[in-house]
Amino acid sequence: MDFNAVAKEFVQYYYGVFERNRAELASLYRDPSMLTFEGNQFQGAGPIVQKLTTLPFQTVAHKITTLDAQPGPANALLVVVTGELLIDQETNPTRFTQVFQLISEGNTYWVFNDVFRLNYG
Amino acid sequence: MDFNAVAKEFVQYYYGVFERNRAELASLYRDPSMLTFEGNQFQGAGPIVQKLTTLPFQTVAHKITTLDAQPGPANALLVVVTGELLIDQETNPTRFTQVFQLISEGNTYWVFNDVFRLNYG
């Protein structure tokens, strides 16, 4: 497994779905999945996707600045993203950090850990 | 285990040692440990500590802005830090993101994953 290639493919897919239809992200989470979004904790695909689909904006664009990956324990894959968000009509990007930990299952991956933080300046 | 308390105690200890004597960080890493520092990869306590001890500054202060923790796979502990660095005589802080994944062993933890990124603006 080329873990850097998997990480890159995952984040491109994830942010593509996020920007097109957040509800479709449900397929990437399972019951044990955890999301910490700006310090608020959610567990399970249902609560996580409810949080993501009710974020108070209509459109968002993600620009990835850095992408790092490492193998995690138990064949997990740790993915660390820093980047910029453009929300709705905003022209000033907001920086963010997002960390995923993926669990492989057959030919696919699901999200075990998800931590999102805006980096205000 | 209160994983938030463990994460907070770990990062306070880690940055305290980092600021006092980087060579002492060797006790926190093992042969399988990985560090990705600004995109450069190192494996094992020796190479990791050599990198950390040869960073080109004399003094550094870390200010933690956000700290998030989640249980990882296989009883690991995922720790996500965003914050600011002050290096030597600099008065303008540089933002950073650092992600640790800790493995428990008895009453202590060692660092399996370590990803560090400066967030330039």
Side-chain angles (χ1 to χ4, degrees):
Chain A
M1 176 182 85
D2 178 345
F3 58 84
N4 288 301
V6 172
K8 187 175 179 182
E9 189 176 357
F10 170 79
V11 297
Q12 288 176 342
Y13 177 76
Y14 185 93
Y15 292 129
V17 174
F18 197 105
E19 292 169 13
R20 193 173 67 245
N21 181 5
R22 281 172 264 167
E24 285 180 27
L25 294 172
S27 65
L28 295 174
Y29 296 93
R30 302 280 166 88
D31 286 348
S33 300
M34 288 165 274
L35 167 66
T36 305
F37 188 93
E38 289 285 272
N40 297 305
Q41 297 179 18
F42 304 87
Q43 180 152 12
I48 289 171
V49 173
Q50 182 173 20
K51 174 63 180 175
L52 297 178
T53 53
T54 55
L55 290 170
F57 50 77
Q58 295 301 311
T59 64
V60 60
H62 297 76
K63 183 184 160 204
I64 296 170
T65 307
T66 68
L67 173 60
D68 294 303
Q70 288 182 355
N75 293 316
L77 177 61
L78 181 66
V79 181
V80 179
V81 180
T82 71
E84 296 180 341
L85 290 176
L86 271 181
I87 289 174
D88 292 331
Q89 268 57 255
E90 287 285 336
T91 53
N92 288 323
T94 305
R95 291 195 196 177
F96 73 97
T97 295
Q98 190 160 16
V99 177
F100 299 101
Q101 191 151 236
L102 309 180
I103 305 289
S104 71
E105 194 175 88
N107 292 323
T108 186
Y109 286 85
W110 58 278
V111 179
F112 187 78
N113 301 104
D114 183 351
V115 176
F116 178 90
R117 277 287 180 181
L118 293 172
N119 305 138
Y120 292 109
Chain B
M1 177 182 84
D2 177 345
F3 58 85
N4 288 300
V6 171
K8 186 174 179 182
E9 189 177 0
F10 171 79
V11 298
Q12 288 176 341
Y13 177 75
Y14 185 92
Y15 292 130
V17 174
F18 197 104
E19 292 169 13
R20 192 174 66 244
N21 181 4
R22 281 171 264 167
E24 285 181 27
L25 294 172
S27 65
L28 294 174
Y29 295 94
R30 302 279 167 87
D31 286 349
S33 300
M34 288 164 274
L35 167 67
T36 305
F37 188 93
E38 288 285 272
N40 297 304
Q41 297 179 19
F42 304 88
Q43 181 151 12
I48 289 171
V49 173
Q50 183 172 21
K51 174 62 179 176
L52 297 179
T53 54
T54 55
L55 291 170
F57 51 77
Q58 295 301 310
T59 64
V60 61
H62 296 77
K63 183 183 160 205
I64 297 170
T65 307
T66 68
L67 173 59
D68 294 304
Q70 288 181 355
N75 293 317
L77 177 62
L78 181 65
V79 181
V80 179
V81 179
T82 71
E84 295 180 342
L85 289 176
L86 270 180
I87 289 172
D88 292 332
Q89 268 59 253
E90 286 284 336
T91 53
N92 289 323
T94 306
R95 290 195 198 178
F96 73 98
T97 294
Q98 190 160 16
V99 177
F100 299 100
Q101 191 152 237
L102 309 180
I103 305 289
S104 72
E105 195 174 87
N107 292 322
T108 186
Y109 286 84
W110 58 278
V111 179
F112 188 78
N113 300 104
D114 183 351
V115 177
F116 179 90
R117 277 286 180 182
L118 293 172
N119 305 137
Y120 291 110

